[in-house]
Amino acid sequence: MRLLPRPARFALMAALDVALHARGRPVPSKELAARHDLPPRRLETLLQALVRAGILKSVRGPAGGYELARERRRLCVGEIVRVALRAEEEDETQSPALLAAVLEPVIAQAEESALARLDEITLEDLYARAIAQGFGERRDARGDFDI
């Protein structure tokens, strides 16, 4: 069972990808979409939601794209997930009465517990894990960046 819907997972992945690949220049959404084989239009909707929430910053122009709006250590995973969940809720229809009255409050409580735990994890934590597993920038034996 997966507690986080795909949009929340994609929002986390997008923010982490931008952290890993920005390297002093914005990450174009087309590159991000191609790197992860995602539909660009759907990804763009999530990226814009992250911009509105102050997680990403959009840079216009031919060399434009997305970059982090704050330091990685100041972005918590729970915040990114909440943005994606709000964007997803805007597309939902009204729930049947039994679901709304009985099941959704229980699920909401479980989600809040999970989000509280995710608030303890920063994008810096995910970045460090990704680098340790060989994603993003790497340093050679001399400490120089291997780009």
Side-chain angles (χ1 to χ4, degrees):
M1 178 175 86
R2 294 191 175 200
L3 291 177
L4 289 179
R6 288 176 64 91
R9 292 167 187 265
F10 288 156
L12 283 171
M13 185 191 63
L16 181 57
D17 185 278
V18 169
L20 288 166
H21 293 99
R23 295 191 188 124
R25 66 165 182 84
V27 175
S29 61
K30 287 183 181 181
E31 276 183 24
L32 199 155
R35 196 168 16 255
H36 302 288
D37 196 27
L38 296 172
R41 183 170 284 179
R42 179 103 190 236
L43 181 62
E44 189 67 37
T45 302
L46 271 177
L47 293 171
Q48 286 301 310
L50 293 170
V51 167
R52 287 190 301 276
I55 293 168
L56 295 181
K57 188 168 45 174
S58 177
V59 178
R60 296 187 181 271
Y66 294 91
E67 54 192 23
L68 296 178
R70 290 180 264 152
E71 296 172 321
R72 294 185 303 259
R73 65 185 175 89
R74 298 198 184 276
L75 290 168
C76 70
V77 170
E79 179 183 9
I80 296 166
V81 168
R82 283 181 184 89
V83 169
L85 293 175
R86 279 193 302 272
E88 185 181 43
E89 284 174 358
E90 292 172 3
D91 292 340
E92 289 183 4
T93 59
Q94 190 170 357
S95 299
L98 181 62
L99 178 61
V102 178
L103 297 173
E104 285 181 355
V106 172
I107 294 167
Q109 186 178 22
E111 288 173 341
E112 280 307 310
S113 295
L115 287 170
R117 173 63 181 109
L118 293 176
D119 285 337
E120 298 170 5
I121 304 167
T122 66
L123 195 59
E124 178 67 29
D125 298 327
L126 296 181
Y127 179 87
R129 288 182 78 153
I131 293 298
Q133 292 183 29
F135 293 95
E137 62 185 341
R138 297 186 187 113
R139 293 180 189 253
D140 64 18
R142 299 177 312 223
D144 295 331
F145 284 105
D146 177 25
I147 297 180

